[in-house]
Amino acid sequence: MNAFTLLKADHEKVAGILETIAETTERAVKGRDELFAQLKAELDLHAMIEEEIFYPALEETDEAREITLEAYEEHRLVKQLLAELEAEPKDTEEWTAKFTVLKENIEHHVEEEEGEMFKKAREALSEDEIEALGDRLEEAKRQNKAAAAA
Ligand SMILES: [Fe+2]
Ligand SMILES: [Fe+2]
C-alpha cells in the first residue's frame, strides 16, 4: 500500500464530513453531534498514524524535516479546536464560527501535506520505503479499528 494513497483517501473522507457539517445549521444539533463524533474519530485516528508512523520517518530526513515539524504544530492547533468544539454547545453561532476556523485549518494542513510534504517525502524516501510506510499505516488503522470494535 502506497503511503500517499492511503493518507489521501483519509483526507478525502474527512473533507466530505467537513462539507456535510458545514451545511448543517444551529437548529440541527443532533445531526451535528453525530457528524462531529464521526469527524473526531476519523481525525484522531488519522493524526495518530501520521504522528506515530509517517512523520517520524520524514523527520529524520533533511528534505522533509522542517515541513514535518510544522505539521506537528498544526495538528496541535487542530486538536485544541476539536476539544473546544466537542465541549461547547453546538447550537450557537460561536460554534459555527469555530467550526469554520477548524475547517479552514484542516484544509490548509491537508494542502501542505499533499503538496510540499509529499513532494519532499518523494525526494527523501525510496519507492520501497513509501510502500513499507503505507503497509504500516494500514496495519495501525486496522489494529485500532479492531480494538475499538472489541
Ligand atoms: Fe496531518
Ligand atoms: Fe494528513
Side-chain angles (χ1 to χ4, degrees), residues 7 11 46 50 55 109-110 113:
L7 294 174
H11 293 164
H46 181 77
E50 283 187 340
Y55 291 179
H109 176 73
V110 164
E113 276 187 354

Side-chain angles (χ1 to χ4, degrees), residues 53-93:
I53 297 165
F54 190 61
Y55 291 179
L58 297 186
E59 221 182 311
E60 298 306 314
T61 72
D62 291 340
E63 293 90 338
R65 181 172 174 81
E66 195 180 327
I67 185 92
T68 305
L69 294 181
E70 273 179 46
Y72 280 116
E73 293 304 318
E74 288 170 0
H75 276 201
R76 215 164 50 76
L77 292 176
V78 165
K79 282 176 197 172
Q80 177 65 40
L81 286 168
L82 276 172
E84 291 176 19
L85 284 162
E86 188 173 43
E88 290 165 17
K90 296 184 180 59
D91 59 349
T92 68
E93 288 174 315

